[in-house]
Amino acid sequence: MAKKKSEEHSGADANDSDYNEEPNFDDPPGFVDNISDEDLLGDMLAQRPSEADGVESVVVVDNMPKVEPSRLEKLKSVINKLFSQCGEIVNVVYPVDEEGKTKGYAFMEFKTASQAEDAVKKLNNHRLDKNYTFAVNLFTDFQKYENIPEKWEPPTVQPFKVQSDLYNFINDPDAYDQYCVAAETAPNCVQVGFWQNTLPEPNELETRERFTDTFVKWSPLGTYVVTFHKPGVAIWGGSSFQKIQKFPHPGTQFVEFSPCENYLVTYGPTPTGQKIIIWDIRTGAEKRSFVGDGMSVLSMFRWSHDDKFVARMGENSIHIYETPSFYLLDLKSIKIAGIRGFSWSPTDNVIAYWVEEQNQIPARVTLMEIPKKREIRNKNLFHVADCKLHWQKSGDYLCVKVDRYSKLKKDKKELDVKFLGMFYNFEIFHMREKEIPVDSVEIRELILAFAWEPIGNKFSIIHGEPNSSNVSFYEVNKGVKPSLVKRLEKKSCTHLFWSPRGQFIVMANLTMGTFEFVDTTNDYIISASPDHFRASEVEWDPTGRYVVTGVSSWKVKEDTGFNMYTFQGRIIRRTILKNFVQFLWRPRPPTLLSEEKQKEIKKNLKKYYPIFEQKDRLRLTRASKELLEKRAQLRETFMEYRNKRIAEWKDQKSRRIMLRGHVDTDNLETDEVDEEVVEFLVKEEVTLLE
């Protein structure tokens, strides 16, 4: 036993000696170390000190005002308020001369390098006022540009990245239009489906769950669709609606595109009013921002047709900004005392504005040419309560709806003004004629709606009592006054919707959901009068072939959906969709064909009829064939299921007979069965009669 104990003891000592032996960390013979220090210790090496430590978070702000010592604190307050939006400022140095006057630049240190880069990105070329525009650069950039090599080396060619084709929607050989349908699936969660209006049934292109928080909006040319989210908005495009750009503006409630889709304007609330930001769509850069007062209305900016100018109305002035710098035109506003409203021509750089009556001076409508600021036409108006400016889409005419009064009643303090004996004038400016002549149409009844024919020379007016109004159609011709061509009496309509191509119009009552389709070239015949109860919107497709009426869940909570009609009012499709929000046709860019080519196509349109009819027949035949194949497949599936169940029923016959007392009920004659009626008491109630 002692020997065994000693053996165990010696074995333990041997194991202890193995643990106490120092391990060998030498590389084996022939070992090749191919792992760099950056791969092995990248996170630690990133924290090592560098030559730029301490200055990579410093920016140099140039083109600052040169101020006296007495005004330095005010300058510091303005600069600190502006740059603190980009991050925490650690230190600021304002170099001064011998007299204590600043030299026009400053060094500003942020807490982190990323905050300094953000300051350069946001505030470089920021305009402090009309005399000073900041030049903000990183301090490290000065060292970089000092060490430029004398020998130039060409830059490395970057690999080509295939961009999404933003205009593939107009390449469809049959020119089918697209539309989107939005429905709310949960609070702040809207599903959007994109469809192509193919025949005989539409084709679903894409459906996105939780695509937007509220609603969507197409850009004017149909290139982008914008969605709304808590952090801001995003625009999407391409064949599969990929995200193109996002714009961080929390709480954005409304957006508008410039006509050529170069810029996007976002409107969002702030504690003091509205913040408006103008963005460059392609780069996503913020071009200019404004803060409006709490009473400002949405869409306070107006764009020129070519995106060269954007304007807004101020107190007794119009502010016109040039793009892409967004500086004021000629660095000053246009002073106009008493201005109440303005609007751009849809085809020319001409602004129309009107001025209210002041101190026995009549109201005035003025046309001003931009950028020359030259007044090309004036029209004085008397006894004016209000004006509305209506441009025709082609820019050929401008209609000024003038609300006039016969008598004016004021209180003693002239705070409350009442207009008595109201009547209405429509001043028509002929923009394409020499010296821009003006014609006038007077109506003594209440005006409910006005609408120009987009392509043509007609306009329509709803006037009279709301429940029994009249709809008048006027025609405007060169050298003569507007003439009344048709009056439809006793119509209960509230809105007018012209076809984008003219000729056809829908007279709608969006309170009752009734519609009348009118052909203005065929003696104003009402071709159809469909109803869509509680419909609150009407949408023409870009070609003027289809009309959609919709009942939105924003108005009611039941029976929501949309109906689609032809331009003559024939119903094509009824769609009931729970929590339906909106229906929007995708806009199309203007045609590239010249006017001569378009006239030639219209003249020879009969030549194309057989081609279109043949395509329609093939499409219907193809649709019929697909329908028959689908029906045959469904019948085959049903017969397969039926035969399977019959076989299962036969296999269970022996078990059925056993469970039913060895009686074959499958072949039981119903004539041999006696029917017995059993009655039993279910409930007894006692009622005491007084």
Side-chain angles (χ1 to χ4, degrees):
M1 292 296 292
K3 182 179 180 181
K4 185 176 182 181
K5 186 176 180 180
S6 63
E7 288 177 355
E8 293 176 356
H9 183 74
S10 63
D13 292 342
N15 292 336
D16 290 342
S17 64
D18 290 342
Y19 282 104
N20 293 330
E21 183 179 355
E22 184 178 353
N24 183 12
F25 291 102
D26 294 337
D27 293 332
F31 175 78
V32 178
D33 187 2
N34 57 358
I35 302 177
S36 64
D37 293 341
E38 285 74 11
D39 294 335
L40 189 62
L41 303 171
D43 54 344
M44 297 181 64
L45 292 175
Q47 301 176 9
R48 64 184 176 183
S50 63
E51 296 180 359
D53 275 355
V55 295
E56 74 277 358
S57 59
V58 177
V59 298
V60 182
V61 185
D62 205 352
N63 295 339
M64 295 174 59
K66 298 179 181 180
V67 298
E68 303 290 339
S70 59
R71 299 178 57 193
L72 181 57
E73 289 302 323
K74 184 177 180 181
L75 176 64
K76 288 183 178 180
S77 175
V78 173
I79 299 300
N80 184 70
K81 182 179 179 181
L82 190 61
F83 280 83
S84 60
Q85 299 175 2
C86 303
E88 182 180 349
I89 301 174
V90 178
N91 189 22
V92 184
V93 177
Y94 294 85
V96 295
D97 57 16
E98 298 176 353
E99 299 177 356
K101 187 177 180 180
T102 60
K103 294 184 176 181
Y105 60 90
F107 300 94
M108 189 173 299
E109 181 181 0
F110 287 87
K111 188 174 182 179
T112 63
S114 60
Q115 293 176 355
E117 294 174 357
D118 191 40
V120 173
K121 180 180 179 182
K122 291 183 177 180
L123 296 175
N124 187 36
N125 292 324
H126 176 81
R127 192 178 184 193
L128 183 63
D129 56 31
K130 64 180 182 180
N131 297 320
Y132 298 98
T133 301
F134 289 151
V136 185
N137 295 279
L138 291 172
F139 189 84
T140 53
D141 288 346
F142 290 89
Q143 299 177 357
K144 180 176 68 175
Y145 295 132
E146 283 179 355
N147 301 323
I148 297 177
E150 295 182 359
K151 184 178 180 181
W152 178 80
E153 294 182 2
T156 305
V157 179
Q158 299 296 325
F160 175 72
K161 294 182 180 179
V162 179
Q163 300 292 331
S164 178
D165 184 6
L166 299 177
Y167 305 100
N168 66 321
F169 68 99
I170 60 177
N171 294 331
D172 185 76
D174 293 320
Y176 287 126
D177 283 299
Q178 296 181 10
Y179 60 84
C180 68
V181 179
E184 190 174 28
T185 55
N188 297 325
C189 178
V190 177
Q191 176 200 71
V192 180
F194 298 92
W195 298 76
Q196 191 174 34
N197 193 33
T198 55
L199 294 176
E201 294 295 330
N203 177 36
E204 185 177 5
L205 302 176
E206 188 97 11
T207 297
R208 297 285 182 87
E209 301 289 342
R210 304 177 64 89
F211 192 50
T212 182
D213 291 350
T214 52
F215 60 96
V216 296
K217 182 177 181 177
W218 290 107
S219 59
L221 305 181
T223 309
Y224 310 104
V225 61
V226 62
T227 57
F228 295 78
H229 312 275
K230 287 183 179 179
V233 298
I235 57 173
W236 311 71
S239 56
S240 57
F241 295 97
Q242 303 164 343
K243 184 183 291 185
I244 305 300
Q245 196 66 260
K246 58 183 180 180
F247 306 95
H249 187 177
T252 299
Q253 298 176 335
F254 177 76
V255 301
E256 60 181 351
F257 288 86
S258 62
C260 299
E261 299 181 346
N262 292 317
Y263 304 100
L264 177 72
V265 186
T266 57
Y267 296 79
T270 65
T272 58
Q274 278 193 351
K275 184 176 182 181
I276 303 101
I277 304 178
I278 303 177
W279 307 85
D280 187 297
I281 288 180
R282 295 188 182 275
T283 63
E286 180 180 329
K287 304 298 293 184
R288 189 79 188 261
S289 63
F290 304 85
V291 176
D293 56 39
M295 300 302 293
S296 296
V297 296
L298 295 179
S299 187
M300 63 182 288
F301 284 90
R302 302 284 186 269
W303 290 90
S304 64
H305 75 287
D306 54 4
D307 282 11
K308 289 184 178 180
F309 307 97
V310 61
R312 67 183 179 94
M313 189 171 67
E315 186 176 356
N316 295 323
S317 62
I318 295 180
H319 309 290
I320 302 178
Y321 302 89
E322 294 181 282
T323 61
S325 66
F326 288 92
Y327 291 168
L328 280 173
L329 180 63
D330 298 332
L331 300 180
K332 59 183 178 180
S333 302
I334 303 175
K335 300 297 181 182
I336 305 172
I339 183 171
R340 293 285 303 277
F342 78 98
S343 181
W344 285 94
S345 165
T347 54
D348 303 286
N349 285 336
V350 174
I351 278 184
Y353 65 87
W354 77 279
V355 177
E356 64 182 353
E357 292 179 318
Q358 290 180 330
N359 301 325
Q360 305 301 320
I361 300 176
R364 185 177 79 256
V365 176
T366 301
L367 299 176
M368 179 182 290
E369 195 177 46
I370 302 297
K372 296 180 180 179
K373 301 181 182 179
R374 181 172 63 91
E375 295 184 1
I376 58 177
R377 187 67 164 89
N378 284 293
K379 173 71 174 178
N380 290 332
L381 304 170
F382 298 89
H383 297 171
V384 175
D386 193 16
C387 286
K388 291 290 186 297
L389 306 173
H390 301 276
W391 284 96
Q392 190 217 25
K393 185 179 178 180
S394 302
D396 297 336
Y397 305 101
L398 167 66
C399 174
V400 181
K401 173 182 170 287
V402 185
D403 299 357
R404 303 182 64 184
Y405 60 89
S406 301
K407 187 181 295 185
L408 185 65
K409 185 178 181 181
K410 298 182 181 181
D411 61 4
K412 295 181 179 180
K413 296 182 180 180
E414 297 189 357
L415 296 177
D416 187 17
V417 179
K418 293 183 179 180
F419 301 104
L420 305 177
M422 297 294 297
F423 61 100
Y424 306 89
N425 276 27
F426 293 88
E427 307 293 334
I428 310 298
F429 290 72
H430 298 249
M431 300 299 298
R432 307 303 182 196
E433 297 183 31
K434 187 177 180 180
E435 297 182 355
I436 312 181
V438 181
D439 294 322
S440 182
V441 175
E442 181 178 309
I443 294 182
R444 291 278 175 172
E445 296 178 312
L446 177 66
I447 304 299
L448 303 178
F450 173 92
W452 277 108
E453 183 181 21
I455 299 178
N457 60 341
K458 293 189 287 290
F459 63 87
S460 51
I461 305 171
I462 303 177
H463 54 93
E465 297 299 324
N467 296 328
S468 181
S469 56
N470 302 321
V471 183
S472 298
F473 294 87
Y474 289 84
E475 193 170 73
V476 183
N477 292 301
K478 184 176 180 180
V480 296
K481 290 186 177 181
S483 57
L484 177 65
V485 292
K486 188 68 176 182
R487 174 172 292 176
L488 304 177
E489 298 182 348
K490 296 182 179 180
K491 299 294 180 183
S492 60
C493 55
T494 58
H495 294 75
L496 299 168
F497 298 94
W498 281 95
S499 164
R501 306 302 300 173
Q503 182 178 347
F504 299 96
I505 188 174
V506 175
M507 302 187 304
N509 186 321
L510 297 185
T511 303
M512 301 172 59
T514 59
F515 307 91
E516 291 181 306
F517 289 73
V518 179
D519 183 356
T520 62
T521 60
N522 189 14
D523 198 24
Y524 295 83
I525 292 177
I526 299 175
S527 57
S529 301
D531 295 337
H532 190 185
F533 184 58
R534 291 181 173 177
S536 56
E537 59 179 280
V538 176
E539 291 282 342
W540 280 92
D541 81 314
T543 62
R545 292 180 291 181
Y546 302 100
V547 183
V548 168
T549 62
V551 179
S552 174
S553 61
W554 290 336
K555 182 178 180 181
V556 297
K557 296 300 180 184
E558 62 276 349
D559 298 332
T560 56
F562 60 92
N563 294 348
M564 185 176 294
Y565 306 87
T566 66
F567 62 93
Q568 296 173 326
R570 179 175 58 85
I571 184 71
I572 299 177
R573 192 174 301 112
R574 300 181 190 271
T575 303
I576 302 298
L577 183 60
K578 185 179 180 181
N579 294 329
F580 165 77
V581 174
Q582 63 178 161
F583 179 104
L584 293 175
W585 289 101
R586 187 171 192 173
R588 282 179 169 267
T591 179
L592 299 178
L593 297 176
S594 62
E595 292 186 5
E596 292 75 13
K597 187 66 176 178
Q598 294 181 54
K599 291 180 180 179
E600 180 184 348
I601 293 175
K602 291 180 180 179
K603 183 178 180 180
N604 301 321
L605 197 58
K606 293 184 179 180
K607 296 181 180 179
Y608 304 104
Y609 281 161
I611 301 176
F612 296 146
E613 290 178 356
Q614 184 179 3
K615 283 187 175 182
D616 290 341
R617 284 195 297 269
L618 289 174
R619 190 180 297 112
L620 293 174
T621 303
R622 191 183 306 114
S624 301
K625 184 179 179 181
E626 292 176 356
L627 183 62
L628 292 174
E629 291 178 351
K630 184 177 181 180
R631 289 178 177 176
Q633 184 178 1
L634 291 174
R635 185 177 184 279
E636 183 180 350
T637 303
F638 170 74
M639 293 304 297
E640 182 180 352
Y641 174 82
R642 182 174 183 273
N643 294 333
K644 180 180 178 181
R645 294 305 178 193
I646 290 176
E648 184 179 347
W649 180 71
K650 290 180 178 180
D651 293 340
Q652 295 174 350
K653 183 173 182 178
S654 58
R655 182 168 175 77
R656 283 198 306 276
I657 293 176
M658 181 180 67
L659 293 174
R660 296 172 183 175
H662 300 283
V663 177
D664 186 4
T665 58
D666 297 343
N667 299 321
L668 187 65
E669 295 292 337
T670 56
D671 297 339
E672 300 176 1
V673 179
D674 295 332
E675 181 178 358
E676 181 179 355
V677 179
V678 179
E679 296 181 355
F680 56 92
L681 181 64
V682 177
K683 186 177 181 181
E684 182 177 356
E685 293 183 356
V686 178
T687 304
L688 297 178
L689 301 177
E690 296 181 357

